[in-house]
Amino acid sequence: MFKRMLLAYDGSENSKRALDVAVDLAKRYEAKLDVIEVVDTSVIIGAGVGPVPPDVIESLYAKARADIEYAKKVAEQGSIKAEGIILEGDPASAVLDYASKNGVDLIVTGSRGLSTIKRMLLGSVSSRIIHESKIPVLVVK
């Protein structure tokens, strides 16, 4: 049924719960797990505070790398083959685009991640994924 699953991950408590569910499902279906974290630099750049220092952007990527390594370690402890991918852009769009281009059978995400003012105004990432996805989505509360 599910041979390739995508976990939208951001290191939040809800995404850690989603990681546990994704690992369990991947084990049951012998599926490959793609763990994706999307770096959304538009929030910082759009704040209008002038040029963003490169170390600020790098810190976002460093956090994403650490989050991905943690998730891969949890998956590997569960005997799951996991790949970590860091993307940049709007989180929901990036997740949906990756899923459609990579033959993903199921998207797993937490119900609320590390929100920003932008996401509070425009709606949650998980809500957009649910409404726009053409494949099944499992939202873990």
Side-chain angles (χ1 to χ4, degrees):
M1 179 176 240
F2 302 122
K3 292 297 173 199
R4 189 166 188 181
M5 298 171 28
L6 182 158
L7 170 65
Y9 192 76
D10 68 3
S12 66
E13 287 306 310
N14 282 337
S15 71
K16 287 178 181 175
R17 283 191 284 278
L19 169 62
D20 292 339
V21 170
V23 167
D24 182 58
L25 286 172
K27 199 180 297 185
R28 290 175 192 237
Y29 289 101
E30 298 176 359
K32 180 180 181 284
L33 182 62
D34 292 349
V35 180
I36 301 216
E37 182 153 346
V38 182
V39 175
D40 186 2
T41 58
S42 67
V43 175
I44 295 170
I45 294 169
V49 293
V52 179
D55 59 325
V56 172
I57 302 292
E58 177 50 37
S59 70
L60 294 174
Y61 277 93
K63 180 203 171 298
R65 284 190 296 274
D67 289 345
I68 292 290
E69 286 308 310
Y70 171 82
K72 284 175 54 178
K73 181 179 166 190
V74 169
E76 289 164 3
Q77 288 172 346
S79 302
I80 301 303
K81 181 181 176 191
E83 182 177 343
I85 300 105
I86 299 172
L87 302 172
E88 185 174 330
D90 171 68
S93 297
V95 166
L96 292 165
D97 186 55
Y98 182 91
S100 70
K101 290 180 178 175
N102 290 281
V104 170
D105 303 308
L106 175 69
I107 298 171
V108 180
T109 184
S111 61
R112 291 187 181 256
L114 300 173
S115 64
T116 63
I117 292 172
K118 177 183 170 188
R119 284 189 219 134
M120 287 189 299
L121 294 173
L122 299 177
S124 77
V125 173
S126 58
S127 293
R128 271 200 56 214
I129 291 171
I130 291 167
H131 292 293
E132 296 178 24
S133 179
K134 295 184 178 13
I135 63 171
V137 177
L138 174 61
V139 178
V140 179
K141 291 192 169 244

